[in-house]
């Protein structure tokens, strides 16, 4: 069956794709000369990942690339966004490169091109070589310098076939979840280290960006993917709540946008965090390096946040037995409270609010006119079930995707220059601290057999790509 084209029509040149990341799908953690990453170590540490899951096998993509690329072709993807595993290419993060690792991605790139699919490469999606963490990790400057060497190598190796280069995926997570709250690898909980990591990731982006531009010149499309936060005040009339929004915006958004697109760190961020660090890790000349500008900004969007300022009542907290608060990713923002929001949520507990997507894209295009935008991730985890017919009727995911794609269109109507959209994710995968307990894929992975099964959302997405028109939610199950 084909649906009647009643939905919004997208321009023919709009790039539709799907995204994944190395540690989340590849498996083969001990094969092909790959070195250990911080996620191997973290996963092997009791209590860090639910049920002790790890990326050791994951979706076994390493052994099934041909099958997976064929599936992408059947879906009609224009582009595939994937990440290179640094420890597969350079096992200890410095020194010798691993030819087997380089070849693995070379073959993947060739297969994609042969299938008519553009490779959109992310250099770093969180799998830092463990040896670099042992030497200090992202809080130390040397990690950014090592990243520059790695970046130069991969760009030189693949520049003949890859022009779209994303340096980092969601440095917010690497810095604040990895070194602030510690819920991600390497699991450290130190605010000053988290902020040093922010800067060294920005520096790493800048150094890698130079490598991309040197190798490709005008042919390069340099990108950085950020998970920008859409924080809204609980009470829009309350100066205190507006101040909470400002703090979150500084830590989550401007801490990355400003050094890269404007060449400075925001004064309010430096002020807010002054009791935690003096930012002396920012050396002379660093902000010229971070200030690369971008050919396209990658935007990952899932949900919004509602925040307010609250006054910490020490005595009440002690009486409630909450004297010792858990580490927070929000450094020097202890007075900001994140509130539950009304309405539906996904299996992550994230609220479903497509209007935040429109607001974010329109806001970015007003702040940075002329900057092309690309949705590099958007999608939802739900508790999928396989019905007796062997199918996955994931209507909630279809609705989520439908409403968010429409929200992208609404942003374009309002003038945002959005060039493409990548669904997260092509297939179910290792969802970090949740292990395999959260499923984001439009294709189901059976983790016992590693069989791939298209969910209704995959058929719906294929129809969208085939027609450039948003299909209705109803009838998605008949598109198979
Ligand atoms: O799975 C992650 C991905 O690695 C980065 N962005 C958010 C996704 C869902 O949590």
């Amino acid at each position: 069956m084909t649906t009647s084209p009643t939905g919004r029509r997208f321009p023919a040149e709009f790039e539709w794709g799907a995204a994944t990341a190395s540690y989340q799908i590849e498996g083969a953690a001990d094969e092909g000369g790959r070195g250990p990453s911080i996620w191997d170590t973290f996963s092997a540490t009791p209590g860090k990942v639910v049920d002790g899951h790890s990326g050791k096998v994951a979706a076994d993509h390493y052994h099934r690339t041909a099958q997976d690329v064929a599936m992408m072709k059947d879906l009609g993807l224009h582009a595939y966004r994937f990440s290179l595993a640094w420890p597969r290419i350079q096992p200890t993060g410095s020194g010798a490169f691993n030819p087997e690792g380089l070849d693995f991605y070379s073959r993947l790139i060739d297969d994609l091109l042969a299938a008519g699919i553009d490779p959109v490469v992310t250099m770093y999606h969180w799998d830092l070589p463990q040896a670099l963490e042992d030497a200090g990790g992202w809080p130390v400057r040397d990690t950014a310098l090592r990243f520059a060497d790695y970046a130069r190598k991969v760009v030189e190796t693949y520049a003949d076939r890859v022009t779209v280069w994303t340096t980092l995926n969601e440095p917010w997570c690497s810095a604040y979840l990895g070194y602030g709250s510690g819920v991600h690898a390497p699991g450290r909980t130190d605010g000053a280290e988290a902020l040093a990591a922010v800067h060294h990731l920005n520096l790493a982006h800048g150094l890698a960006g130079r490598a991309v531009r040197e190798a490709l010149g005008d042919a390069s499309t340099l990108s950085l993917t950020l998970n920008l936060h859409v924080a809204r005040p609980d009470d829009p009339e309350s100066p205190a709540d507006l101040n909470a929004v400002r703090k979150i915006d500084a830590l989550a958004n401007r801490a990355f946008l400003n050094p890269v697109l404007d060449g400075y760190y925001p004064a309010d961020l430096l002020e807010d965090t002054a009791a935690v660090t003096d930012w002396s890790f920012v050396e002379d000349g660093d902000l010229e390096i971070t200030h690369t500008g971008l050919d396209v900004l990658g935007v990952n969007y899932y949900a919004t946040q509602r925040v307010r300022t609250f006054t910490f009542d020490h005595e009440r907290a002690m009486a409630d037995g909450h004297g010792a608060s858990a580490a927070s990713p929000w450094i020097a923002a202890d007075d900001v409270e994140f509130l539950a929001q009304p309405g539906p949520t996904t299996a992550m507990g994230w609220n479903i609010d497509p209007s935040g997507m429109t607001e974010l894209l329109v806001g970015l295009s007003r702040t940075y006119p002329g900057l092309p935008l690309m949705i590099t991730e958007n999608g939802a985890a739900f508790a999928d079930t396989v019905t007796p017919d062997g199918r996955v009727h994931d209507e909630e995911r279809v609705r989520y995707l439908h409403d968010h794609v429409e929200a992208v269109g609404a942003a374009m109507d309002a003038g945002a220059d959005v060039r493409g959209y990548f669904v997260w994710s092509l297939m179910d995968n290792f969802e970090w601290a949740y292990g395999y307990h959260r499923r984001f894929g439009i294709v189901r992975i059976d983790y016992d057999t590693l069989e791939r099964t298209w969910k209704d959302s995959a058929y719906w997405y294929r129809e969208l790509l085939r027609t450039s028109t948003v299909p209705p939610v109803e009838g998605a199950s008949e598109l198979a």
Side-chain angles (χ1 to χ4, degrees):
M1 170 189 153
T2 52
T3 54
S4 54
T6 50
R8 177 186 296 274
R9 196 166 171 79
F10 278 77
E13 64 280 9
F14 193 82
E15 186 145 64
W16 295 103
T20 63
S22 47
Y23 192 73
Q24 294 182 271
I25 64 161
E26 282 180 8
D30 304 322
E31 290 176 53
R34 178 183 178 278
S37 79
I38 53 174
W39 272 97
D40 297 285
T41 309
F42 192 73
S43 306
T45 310
K48 298 296 185 192
V49 175
V50 179
D51 286 342
H53 290 169
S54 78
K56 211 171 168 49
V57 177
D60 197 34
H61 169 73
Y62 185 81
H63 296 115
R64 294 165 195 253
T65 40
Q67 177 191 350
D68 288 342
V69 171
M71 181 170 78
M72 294 177 215
K73 189 175 179 185
D74 288 348
L75 273 166
L77 298 188
H78 305 176
Y80 173 52
R81 172 177 181 253
F82 62 98
S83 74
L84 309 175
W86 186 353
R88 197 177 281 297
I89 287 177
Q90 195 181 27
T92 59
S94 56
F97 293 95
N98 171 30
E100 248 187 291
L102 286 163
D103 284 354
F104 168 69
Y105 296 109
S106 192
R107 281 195 307 276
L108 172 61
I109 291 166
D110 284 345
D111 288 356
L112 289 168
L113 291 171
I117 300 169
D118 290 339
V120 172
V121 177
T122 301
M123 293 177 183
Y124 182 74
H125 195 129
W126 309 353
D127 36 6
L128 183 72
Q130 181 61 40
L132 291 187
E133 171 59 19
D134 296 342
W138 285 113
V140 305
R141 188 177 182 84
D142 191 57
T143 301
L145 307 183
R146 299 286 66 78
F147 186 73
D149 292 345
Y150 156 73
R152 193 160 304 111
K153 178 70 178 179
V154 296
V155 172
E156 280 166 7
T157 308
Y158 307 123
D160 57 338
R161 288 160 290 159
V162 175
T163 55
V164 187
W165 286 94
T166 302
T167 53
L168 308 172
N169 178 74
E170 299 181 355
W172 181 90
C173 296
S174 302
Y176 296 121
L177 300 184
Y179 297 93
S181 67
V183 300
H184 276 191
R188 289 200 247 161
T189 52
D190 182 307
E193 289 185 344
L195 293 169
V198 166
H199 177 60
H200 295 135
L201 284 153
N202 285 326
L203 187 64
H205 160 78
L207 293 166
R210 286 187 171 182
V212 171
R213 292 212 163 112
E214 274 161 28
L216 280 151
D218 288 347
S220 71
T221 300
L222 177 65
S223 170
L224 166 71
T225 279
L226 300 176
N227 55 325
L228 298 167
H229 285 57
V230 182
R232 291 167 172 165
D234 185 36
D235 174 359
E237 303 299 319
S238 154
D241 291 1
L242 290 169
N243 194 42
V245 169
R246 180 198 59 72
K247 276 192 182 175
I248 296 311
D249 180 49
L251 282 163
N253 302 337
R254 289 180 284 119
F256 303 100
L257 291 170
N258 286 160
V260 172
L261 295 172
D262 307 299
Y264 62 80
Y265 280 106
D268 60 332
L269 172 70
L270 305 187
E271 238 169 74
D272 289 346
T273 56
V276 176
T277 178
D278 60 7
W279 289 77
S280 54
F281 42 75
V282 182
E283 296 187 4
D284 284 351
D286 280 5
L287 287 163
E288 278 156 45
I289 298 171
T290 63
H291 189 195
T292 55
L294 293 172
D295 301 310
V296 61
L297 172 66
V299 177
N300 290 357
Y301 175 83
Y302 290 91
T304 60
Q305 287 76 36
R306 192 159 61 106
V307 297
R308 73 173 177 204
T309 296
F310 77 107
T311 313
F312 187 69
D313 181 341
H314 182 74
E315 277 178 21
R316 187 166 152 218
M318 295 306 281
D320 288 350
H322 298 302
S325 68
S328 165
W330 299 107
I331 313 305
D334 301 342
D335 57 343
V336 176
E337 186 179 9
F338 286 76
L339 303 165
Q341 308 201 60
T345 57
T346 68
M348 296 296 280
W350 299 343
N351 74 316
I352 301 177
D353 186 351
S355 75
M357 170 89 102
T358 309
E359 181 182 323
L360 177 61
L361 296 171
V362 172
L364 281 166
S365 63
R366 292 200 178 130
T367 310
Y368 296 106
L371 176 65
L373 306 171
M374 181 85 98
I375 307 303
T376 37
E377 285 182 26
N378 173 242
F382 288 108
D384 301 324
T385 50
V386 182
T387 46
D389 57 0
R391 302 269 309 273
V392 180
H393 298 300
D394 57 339
E395 191 185 333
E396 288 171 296
R397 184 174 293 102
V398 173
R399 186 170 301 285
Y400 180 99
L401 297 178
H402 173 280
D403 293 354
H404 284 78
V405 168
E406 285 284 349
V408 173
M412 292 164 74
D413 289 348
D417 180 7
V418 188
R419 302 285 174 92
Y421 174 98
F422 290 72
V423 65
W424 184 269
S425 178
L426 174 64
M427 60 182 100
D428 291 339
N429 57 52
F430 175 78
E431 178 52 30
W432 308 113
Y434 294 96
Y436 298 99
H437 290 289
R438 296 291 183 279
R439 292 178 178 273
F440 274 91
I442 58 171
V443 172
R444 177 182 175 84
I445 301 292
D446 178 324
Y447 290 112
D448 294 325
T449 63
L450 296 166
E451 191 190 346
R452 279 95 166 114
T453 303
W454 289 32
K455 304 178 190 178
D456 285 356
S457 53
Y459 293 108
W460 179 89
Y461 199 55
R462 179 181 66 175
E463 183 70 357
L464 166 61
L465 274 50
R466 193 184 68 77
T467 59
S468 291
T469 302
V470 185
V473 176
E474 300 72 28
S477 65
E478 290 153 55
L479 291 167

